[in-house]
Amino acid sequence: MSVAKKEYKRVTTKSLVEMKSNGEKISMLTAYDFTMARIVDGAGTDVILVGDSASNVMAGHETTLPITLDQMIYHASSVVRAAKRALVVVDLPFGSYQSDPKEALRSAIRIMKESGGHAVKVEGGKEIKESVKRILNAGIPVMGHLGLTPQSIYKFGTYTVRAKEEEEAEKLKQDAKMLEKAGCFAVVLEKVPAKLAKEVAESITIPIIGIGAGNGVDGQVLVTHDMLGMTHEFNPRFLRRYLNLYDDMTSAMKQYCDDVKAVDFPNENEQY
Ligand code: KIV
């Protein structure tokens, strides 16, 4: 059941908590550049995530591990220039916050100062509790990320569903509560059973944004390039493709190449 949408001129971390308490679902999509962010923002998406998935999507790496803090700042500053309404959340990349809380704070400050982003996102639970607290103490809003955390892919070994076993599910519940208590404004839950995700969403007051976590949570996030069908090698069950841009763009480009070869482009109206 959908709930009446309240108009927000600018979505803030507070708006998201308000949406949860009003039963309004939160929409979140990724963007890494100005042009895409302008479309995502103009479509009325509540949150734009400058995800470290830029490492895969923009740079072609196999994992999210190689992307650097400087690269994240570059992507985020382009997105911030386009976002007029959405809250812009920026991933702290692998290696920029795990080693110690002081380094975590320095990295988060660089994101906020140099990109103009509105919040940071970090992956993990109790292992990074002190870093989360240190960043929050400096007045920087933090979004958590639990379940399948791609920065730990070499620990997991695969991208399959997480927390199917009781022990991991229990830890996830405790981590979500810890992140709420520490002061995070929201948590992403990636690739966990829908029943568990619903239980977690119902047990805490901050929004749970799901990806592959069913519809019992407070909002959804997808990688924009996946939902537009610009990528075609990635086909998880949770992904709904709204367009097939890979094929559409390929045929447009083929047509352009044919037109150039045939001296059909440019025509008389397309020149000076
Ligand atoms: O980096 C990213 O795009 C993400 C989403 C998949 C949640 O973390």
Side-chain angles (χ1 to χ4, degrees), residues 2-266:
S2 69
V3 165
K5 261 175 75 175
K6 180 174 163 189
E7 282 312 315
Y8 291 97
K9 270 209 171 105
R10 168 64 86 174
V11 177
T12 64
T13 55
K14 282 212 161 49
S15 326
L16 300 185
V17 178
E18 192 178 79
M19 284 180 200
K20 170 160 178 148
S21 52
N22 292 341
E24 178 183 341
K25 299 287 182 184
I26 296 161
S27 56
M28 173 158 135
L29 284 171
T30 57
Y32 321 109
D33 68 276
F34 178 84
T35 303
M36 187 68 92
R38 196 159 56 172
I39 301 171
V40 173
D41 186 65
T45 314
D46 298 314
V47 184
I48 302 181
L49 173 66
V50 186
D52 59 359
S53 50
S55 179
N56 313 95
V57 178
M58 302 307 280
H61 292 296
E62 218 170 279
T63 72
T64 58
L65 275 64
I67 200 160
T68 66
L69 188 56
D70 284 337
Q71 287 165 340
M72 288 304 297
I73 290 168
Y74 167 76
H75 287 298
S77 56
S78 309
V79 169
V80 166
R81 285 191 282 276
K84 302 288 176 243
R85 175 184 175 276
L87 179 80
V88 178
V89 179
V90 186
D91 265 338
L92 279 180
F94 177 68
S96 73
Y97 63 97
Q98 291 92 342
S99 55
D100 80 273
K102 278 190 189 153
E103 193 192 4
L105 178 58
R106 268 196 301 275
S107 303
I109 288 175
R110 281 202 61 203
I111 296 261
M112 302 301 280
K113 253 187 185 311
E114 296 176 41
S115 78
H118 309 138
V120 297
K121 176 163 84 58
V122 289
E123 295 184 5
K126 78 172 195 305
E127 314 76 25
I128 56 157
K129 182 174 166 187
E130 294 312 316
S131 295
V132 169
K133 281 184 165 174
R134 185 67 75 113
I135 298 170
L136 284 162
N137 279 343
I140 300 171
V142 178
M143 176 181 267
H145 185 155
L146 299 171
L148 176 65
T149 46
Q151 291 179 9
S152 306
I153 190 57
Y154 289 115
K155 184 173 105 188
F156 298 146
T158 80
Y159 285 97
T160 53
V161 180
R162 303 303 314 171
K164 277 165 67 179
E165 307 303 330
E166 189 50 39
E167 196 182 332
E168 194 180 338
E170 196 45 50
K171 179 179 183 309
L172 190 147
K173 287 188 223 171
Q174 283 172 15
D175 282 342
K177 279 216 185 295
M178 182 282 289
L179 292 171
E180 175 190 38
K181 199 161 162 235
C184 290
F185 68 92
V187 175
V188 165
L189 258 194
E190 180 164 353
K191 248 186 157 179
V192 299
K195 189 164 166 281
L196 171 65
K198 184 168 186 284
E199 200 184 313
V200 173
E202 285 171 356
S203 72
I204 60 177
T205 55
I206 57 171
I208 294 288
I209 318 277
I211 172 162
N215 68 7
V217 291
D218 308 301
Q220 299 294 330
V221 55
L222 284 176
V223 169
T224 299
H225 289 67
D226 294 335
M227 61 84 82
L228 293 178
M230 290 175 87
T231 51
H232 64 172
E233 63 288 345
F234 180 62
N235 288 300
R237 182 187 335 178
F238 68 76
L239 175 61
R240 185 180 294 180
R241 289 194 203 285
Y242 288 81
L243 287 173
N244 186 356
L245 280 190
Y246 191 95
D247 287 348
D248 290 350
M249 290 170 78
T250 303
S251 63
M253 289 169 194
K254 274 190 178 149
Q255 185 62 56
Y256 164 78
C257 294
D258 289 349
D259 291 350
V260 169
K261 300 279 180 197
V263 202
D264 178 67
F265 174 79

